[in-house]
Each structure stands twice: as C-alpha cells, then as structure tokens.
Amino acid sequence: MLYQLRLKTISVSCVVKETCVLPCRFEYKEKDLHNIEWYKYTDGSLVHALKDGADLLERQAEAFRKRTSMFPEQVSRGNASVQLSAVRTEDEGLYLCRVHKISYEDSDVRVNLRVEAPVKAVTLEQRGDVLVCSSEGIYPLPNISWSPPSEHQTQEKPMKDGFYSVSSSLPLDHPSHVSTLEGIEISLPVSLLFCLIKSESCEVTVFMVPGVRKCEYGFILFRLSYYCRIKIIYVCVSDSCEFFLEPNTAHKNLLLSEDNRTATYVWEEQPYPYDMDRFTDWEQVLSSSAVTGRCYFEVDCSGRRCDEAVSIAVSYKRIKRTGEGRDCEFGGVNDLSWSLTIRDNHYIARHNDTETLLSSTFSLRVGVFLDSEAGVLSFYQVLSDGQLSHLHTFNTSFTEPLFPGFEDKIADTSG
C-alpha cells in the first residue's frame, strides 16, 4: 500500500508515442543498499524495480512491460530515474520513486506525468453554408473557439487510444466579403476571422483574411517546451496602401528621393536642419502618416548596399529619436516597434529584445500586411513570379497608430 505523503512533486510533460524520462535523484552513500522501485501512484502498480544493479521485473504491471528501463550505471551518482517509451494517454498520472536504504530512511520522490497529443493539423473548409474548423488525434480534450465571438456549434468525439476529434461550424449568413480558399468560394461576415484550437500547452490558430488580389497560404511550427504552437495563415489582400517617408525624421546618413519614397544610405551626412523628430544615432526614418485598418505594402531592398542589415518595421510614433541605446532602434529593446531585418541573406523577426531567425529562401523584396484592429502584422517574401511566401506573423494588441519605418540601407517602398 502506498501512503499519502507530503512530498515535493516534480511535473513532467510527455508527448504521446515519444520517449521521456521520469526524474528521481537521491543522496548516494557508498556501501549502502540502494534498491529502487517505481510505482504508479494512483493504483500502486509496479512500473520498474532495480535491485543490486539488476532489473527486478517479476511483479511489473502488464501495462509497462517492455516499455521501461533505468540507468544502473548512474545509481552511484544518485540517479534513480526511469525511462518510459511509447508513451500512452493512460500513462498520465502520479508516480512514486522509492529508494530503499540500510543506514537511513528511504527516499521518496513523486512525479506528476502529463501526457499530450498535440494539435498537428487543422482543416478549414466550407460545407454548404457553413465554415468548418476541425482537427483530430488530440489529447487532452481541447477547446475550440472563434474570434470575433460568433454563434457556432462544436462537436467533440472520443477516438481510439484516448484521443479526441473536435469540429466547429460557423454559419456564413452575412456574405459581406467573398474570397477564394483552395478553390472554394467563401463568404465571410468579418474582415478577419480566427479559429482557435487550444489544449493544455498546444495552440493552433487559423487566420483567414478575405479579399481578392493576392491569396497565399503559410505555415509555421514553433516548439514551446514539450509541445507546439502552430499558426496557419490564409492571407488575401484586396487593397494596397500608399505612404511617404517623413524627411524630418530621417537620419543624416539617409538620403531621401524627391518623392520621399526611397531612402538610400550614404557615407556623407546630409545638411538636414535640426528637428526633434529626427533619429540622431540610428540610421532610421519613419513615414509621414500612420497606416490604419488593413494595409498591404511592399519594400524593395535590391538597391545599393542592401546586402548589409536592413530593417522594415512598423512603430509607434513616440519611439525615442535621440541616443545610441537600442530603445531607439526598430525591434530593439523596446515594445514600441516590430521589425523584419535582412542580414547576411537571412531574415530575423525582432520585437522587444526578442529575435527569431527565420529559415527561408532569400528575396530582397518583402511584402508587409497589417491589420491594426485585429493585431496582426505579417511579413512575406515576394517571389520572382509575384507570389507571396509567408515569413513571420506578430500577433498582439496595437494600442496606438502605427507608422512604417526603415533602418539603414533602404530602397524602394512602393505599395
């Protein structure tokens, strides 16, 4: 019988079908007997036992046979961990590691194992007059929701091996926008639609932005601890936006064209007059007006010296202008700007002192899609055939008007 003890509990997360280790450490003393037993805390079944450095598995529960192993060569270093392979949903629960000793009391460690089958794929399709968001093979049972909040019907079904499938149907009864997704005509009641499937530590978000001009599918997979975060983005942009660069913000090493649509890095400082809005240390420039609502523009960095660092950003107007600190830099140590940097033929997404290196083929023409109300900022490669390839999406809540900005050796900014 296992007694309820006041033990410190170690939490471990494992993914179904993978191998994970349940940790157990103890104080080793030479010439002491160290027999080790692992139990499933909830029912007292034996998971694994080690005696005198050898496995002792006569009483091992059937559910764990041929799936466990220990590290006898590391017992002298105080390691009593057990390795569990081909993890199943039914393995979830509390475990007890008990180390038996001669000279002093036993050592007990309790481990809480959480098992998850992460969301790996989401299907978004039209079935008659409804839009259906669905996924399957998930554990534990996830939540599924739409944003903006809309009337919908959700079905949850158990599958074999303890997994679940979920499906949510959203009526398309307000055809104010029409778009095309994988050959399917879809009428959407809102300008931006989110389908969110979220389990314990795995989140999948499908974004759909309706329009008619450009439509591209992007997929990103992020690892968060043991699980994942997946974003599937459908972007269809119907309108481009146009803006001009503000000469009074331009650093003195940036030369603006007569139409204020091109900025070029030059070695010789320009005789710009003093202005409190001018960037004094970082070679940056802001647009003269904010972009609002949904906006798409493209930046061509294929001009002079664009093989060096170039940043394409959106920023709040109140970003600092004076000083060498990175609190003045787009995407630096501040929460006032979001940027994509092109450096050494790589893309780097940057915000608030966090950098994400992006793996992708390389292009010096970049598309930027902003929906300020929905809190979505996406960057795309513009390929030679004019198609868009998704690079990165920031999801946040924008609280102020946003101004496009550029750092260093920037070329054409035509939309």
Side-chain angles (χ1 to χ4, degrees), residues 302-316:
S302 59
R304 178 177 178 268
R305 300 186 62 86
C306 270
D307 56 321
E308 298 185 10
V310 176
S311 291
I312 304 161
V314 296
S315 174
Y316 295 150

Side-chain angles (χ1 to χ4, degrees), residues 146-314:
W146 295 86
S147 179
S150 308
E151 292 186 6
H152 62 277
Q153 294 183 340
T154 299
Q155 292 183 331
E156 304 159 348
K157 296 181 180 179
M159 303 173 65
K160 65 178 183 179
D161 298 326
F163 300 142
Y164 294 93
S165 68
V166 292
S167 177
S168 182
S169 301
L170 179 70
L172 300 177
D173 53 357
H174 302 286
S176 59
H177 294 79
V178 177
S179 183
T180 299
L181 173 62
E182 296 181 352
I184 304 172
E185 187 177 274
I186 299 175
S187 301
L188 298 175
V190 292
S191 62
L192 182 64
L193 197 61
F194 297 84
C195 171
L196 174 65
I197 299 181
K198 186 175 183 179
S199 56
E200 294 289 334
S201 299
C202 187
E203 180 176 311
V204 170
T205 307
V206 173
F207 304 89
M208 182 176 289
V209 187
V212 294
R213 177 173 176 263
K214 293 186 177 180
C215 204
E216 183 65 20
Y217 166 81
F219 179 86
I220 318 172
L221 172 63
F222 299 93
R223 292 294 294 185
L224 294 182
S225 65
Y226 296 90
Y227 303 122
C228 68
R229 181 169 181 167
I230 302 174
K231 299 180 188 299
I232 301 175
I233 304 99
Y234 296 89
V235 177
C236 309
V237 183
S238 57
D239 297 308
S240 61
C241 57
E242 186 174 76
F243 58 87
F244 299 90
L245 304 177
E246 174 53 60
N248 292 333
T249 68
H251 184 273
K252 290 187 176 182
N253 286 108
L254 291 181
L255 177 64
L256 302 189
S257 61
E258 290 186 4
D259 61 0
N260 292 327
R261 295 180 62 78
T262 300
T264 304
Y265 180 89
V266 293
W267 290 105
E268 182 178 352
E269 289 191 354
Q270 301 302 297
Y272 297 147
Y274 169 79
D275 195 292
M276 62 183 301
D277 288 334
R278 191 176 309 285
F279 290 101
T280 62
D281 294 270
W282 293 97
E283 293 86 351
Q284 299 180 158
V285 60
L286 277 178
S287 64
S288 56
S289 59
V291 291
T292 58
R294 296 174 61 228
C295 170
Y296 176 83
F297 62 92
E298 293 180 356
V299 181
D300 186 353
C301 299
S302 59
R304 178 177 178 268
R305 300 186 62 86
C306 270
D307 56 321
E308 298 185 10
V310 176
S311 291
I312 304 161
V314 296

Side-chain angles (χ1 to χ4, degrees), residues 289-292 315-318 336 372 398-403:
S289 59
V291 291
T292 58
S315 174
Y316 295 150
K317 192 173 184 178
R318 60 187 175 92
L336 305 179
S372 56
F398 298 118
T399 58
E400 302 175 30
L402 293 164
F403 292 74

Side-chain angles (χ1 to χ4, degrees), residues 9-23:
T9 301
I10 301 172
S11 294
V12 175
S13 299
C14 296
V15 175
V16 168
K17 297 183 180 179
E18 293 187 1
T19 297
C20 70
V21 174
L22 308 187

